[in-house]
Amino acid sequence: MLECGMLERDRQALRRNSAILCRQLVVDELLIQSLHADDILTESMAESIMAEQTSRKRSWHLLLLLPKRGPRAFSSFCSALQVTEQKHLYDLLIKSPEKDGRETHTDRSTDSSLPLPTQEEIGAKRGRTHESMEFSLDADSPINTPVLPCTPDFYLSRSQQSYRLSSSPRGFGLVISNVTFDPCAAPDLDPRKGGEVDDEVLRKVFTELDYIVAVHRDLTAQGMRTCIENFSRRPEHRTVDSCVVCLLSHGVEGAVYGTDGKLLQLDWVFEAFDNAHCPLLQNKPKMFFIQACRGEEMDCGVEQTDGPKRTCSPSCEQRDAGREGQGDADSRQRGDTGRPRIKLPQRSDMICGFASLKGTAAMRNTKRGSWFIQELNSALRLHARDTHLADILVQVNSRIKEREGYAPGTAHHRCKEMSEFTSSLCKDLYFFPKYQPQY
């Protein structure tokens, strides 16, 4: 008789740790793809798991299936945990005590389900401490799967209508991450535990996307200003096709804090890269990612009303700076020859992703980093090969919308977050990762 059940010792390891797995396991696209590629899950199984509405339900569904998927299911699941950087759960299962060391197979027909809860439960969690201008709570782990390469056919089909992004490197990246604040100058700003995870995640993913990334930690407001000025004036911008700037700190609407408790205005940051102040990056895409609170309001969420689901994408609406119908003299500058010289708007070709909406707090895990940077990292790694950046940020918004955290002291002890982005891009922005066109 074909032995197709899971080894009894492996089944017991899953059963003993089922409560912890249900609470902490992150069932994302990468983990499911890994199990599907290993023939542990069928395509319909993978789809039904990912269709579950919450992370805990996805975990529960997967753990019910695994004992029925053959003797390789346990080792494949452990490998998937390593791939998705959930080593703490991998270690938990591998180190799980064995009763007698014997390996026995169980027939599927006699398989019993794991003793898992029949509905979501709120497990015991460690107390969360309030942090000024930003909140720390448990969240999912970032993934570290390699960035998938763009194919030559995809590049040829998109390159004409998108920004030129073929230089090697694609551009330069700057990450400023303030983790520790001066207790004398900024006594109300607590350390941003987990912030060092974010800056390392960003360094890795943009390095894989072929950017030369510099990371600076714990700068005062003036130090941040000097660092950004020096970066924006690099003569090497002339030879590359784009740039990336990431600011990670405590913040308020329109500004981020230096370690000395003084504010750096974001409008000044954008101005440093506009067409007047940074001519070497004119007509080239400039990307900004801001991991900071934009206020102290906690989003506790609202109950969804009956009826079809609706999703409203955040947007930024701007009025025209000038009036329609004005003559060419208002929009062109003519030289001595009388030939028109096209002028650029003061600020264009920029896109900025914000971790939270205006007036609201951002969420950060003290060990695994912030929600926004985690989701940005995942989306870039999985989709940069064939998705332009604006659509990637829509995907980030969608994933952030689904997240929910534990926040004592708020209504229902639950909290939400909503990211958003603004854009003045004039073309699609594809990274074309790991592809170098031959001229």
Side-chain angles (χ1 to χ4, degrees):
M1 182 176 179
L2 179 64
E3 293 181 320
C4 54
M6 180 178 282
L7 296 176
E8 183 60 26
R9 66 170 187 183
D10 297 339
R11 184 195 310 278
Q12 290 298 330
L14 287 177
R15 181 177 289 116
R16 277 191 297 271
N17 298 295
S18 60
I20 295 175
L21 288 168
C22 249
R23 288 198 303 270
Q24 298 184 15
L25 177 63
V26 179
V27 180
D28 59 13
E29 292 177 8
L30 181 62
L31 185 137
I32 294 299
Q33 287 172 4
S34 178
L35 293 172
H36 180 238
D38 211 14
D39 293 326
I40 301 301
L41 297 178
T42 65
E43 186 170 347
S44 62
M45 288 175 180
E47 290 177 354
S48 65
I49 291 171
M50 294 307 293
E52 297 287 2
Q53 294 299 306
T54 66
S55 178
R56 196 179 298 261
K57 286 183 178 179
R58 288 193 289 269
S59 300
W60 179 28
H61 194 154
L62 174 60
L63 291 172
L64 286 173
L65 283 173
L66 282 176
K68 307 173 184 179
R69 300 306 298 162
R72 293 191 304 108
F74 184 80
S75 60
S76 179
F77 177 56
C78 289
S79 296
L81 290 176
Q82 291 181 298
V83 169
T84 55
E85 292 197 337
Q86 301 184 70
K87 193 173 183 302
H88 62 299
L89 297 180
Y90 169 84
D91 291 339
L92 185 71
L93 292 175
I94 294 301
K95 296 175 182 178
S96 187
E98 300 176 16
K99 294 297 183 183
D100 54 11
R102 290 178 297 176
E103 297 183 6
T104 58
H105 291 281
T106 304
D107 184 21
R108 235 187 228 180
S109 61
T110 61
D111 177 69
S112 60
S113 297
L114 289 169
L116 299 176
T118 57
Q119 60 182 6
E120 287 192 78
E121 63 180 12
I122 300 176
K125 294 180 180 283
R126 291 172 297 160
R128 180 188 61 83
T129 57
H130 176 276
E131 292 190 355
S132 304
M133 309 295 179
E134 194 170 23
F135 292 82
S136 303
L137 50 142
D138 290 334
D140 297 338
S141 302
I143 70 168
N144 200 31
T145 182
V147 171
L148 300 174
C150 164
T151 64
D153 287 346
F154 183 83
Y155 175 82
L156 292 174
S157 68
R158 297 295 195 279
S159 59
Q160 294 301 314
Q161 68 265 32
S162 61
Y163 282 102
R164 171 190 169 94
L165 228 69
S166 59
S167 63
S168 185
R170 294 290 193 258
F172 296 96
L174 174 66
V175 178
I176 297 178
S177 176
N178 289 339
V179 176
T180 305
F181 295 79
D182 187 332
C184 297
D188 294 331
L189 300 179
D190 298 326
R192 297 181 60 257
K193 297 176 182 178
E196 67 282 356
V197 177
D198 283 342
D199 61 56
E200 181 62 9
V201 162
L202 291 169
R203 184 193 66 79
K204 286 181 177 179
V205 70
F206 281 109
T207 297
E208 283 197 57
L209 289 168
D210 200 14
Y211 287 81
I212 297 177
V213 183
V215 178
H216 298 266
R217 282 191 188 165
D218 296 342
L219 300 181
T220 64
Q222 182 56 48
M224 296 169 70
R225 187 182 183 100
T226 300
C227 187
I228 291 170
E229 284 180 333
N230 292 339
F231 178 78
S232 68
R233 294 172 182 172
R234 290 188 63 163
E236 297 92 340
H237 286 308
R238 183 188 304 276
T239 63
V240 298
D241 292 338
S242 62
C243 84
V244 179
V245 176
C246 306
L247 302 180
L248 297 77
S249 186
H250 288 300
V252 295
E253 172 57 24
V256 294
Y257 280 102
T259 56
D260 55 353
K262 296 181 180 179
L263 288 168
L264 176 70
Q265 298 297 322
L266 293 179
D267 199 56
W268 176 88
V269 176
F270 302 141
E271 182 181 275
F273 293 90
D274 69 19
N275 293 317
H277 295 88
C278 191
L280 296 182
L281 287 172
Q282 287 182 359
N283 298 312
K284 300 177 182 180
K286 295 161 279 282
M287 294 161 271
F288 302 86
F289 301 101
I290 313 298
Q291 172 56 46
C293 288
R294 301 171 71 186
E296 297 187 43
E297 181 181 342
M298 287 291 294
D299 185 344
C300 296
V302 297
E303 294 297 326
Q304 180 171 294
T305 58
D306 292 337
K309 296 180 180 179
R310 290 183 228 168
T311 302
C312 297
S313 299
S315 61
C316 179
E317 183 175 312
Q318 299 177 345
R319 296 183 178 178
D320 291 336
R323 297 186 301 275
E324 294 183 10
Q326 287 184 318
D328 285 348
D330 292 332
S331 60
R332 301 177 186 266
Q333 179 180 352
R334 298 182 182 275
D336 294 337
T337 62
R339 297 185 61 182
R341 190 169 115 195
I342 302 297
K343 294 181 69 175
L344 293 171
Q346 183 79 14
R347 190 176 298 175
S348 65
D349 308 292
M350 293 183 178
I351 186 167
C352 182
F354 294 93
S356 59
L357 299 177
K358 181 178 180 180
T360 64
M363 305 300 160
R364 170 173 42 82
N365 178 276
T366 57
K367 292 185 178 179
R368 304 183 189 112
S370 66
W371 288 8
F372 176 63
I373 300 302
Q374 286 179 47
E375 295 298 353
L376 177 64
N377 171 62
S378 298
L380 287 172
R381 289 184 175 280
L382 294 173
H383 304 296
R385 68 182 304 188
D386 58 6
T387 307
H388 64 79
L389 183 57
D391 277 356
I392 286 175
L393 290 178
V394 169
Q395 294 176 12
V396 171
N397 285 350
S398 178
R399 294 297 298 269
I400 293 288
K401 179 183 175 182
E402 294 177 357
R403 282 184 178 251
E404 187 172 286
Y406 179 66
T410 61
H412 310 297
H413 301 292
R414 311 301 293 176
C415 60
K416 302 286 289 185
E417 177 179 298
M418 190 64 237
S419 56
E420 72 170 345
F421 67 94
T422 61
S423 174
S424 60
L425 294 182
C426 303
K427 299 179 183 179
D428 289 341
L429 172 51
Y430 291 97
F431 289 97
F432 302 123
K434 303 179 182 179
Y435 178 75
Q436 192 60 42
Q438 302 297 317
Y439 295 108

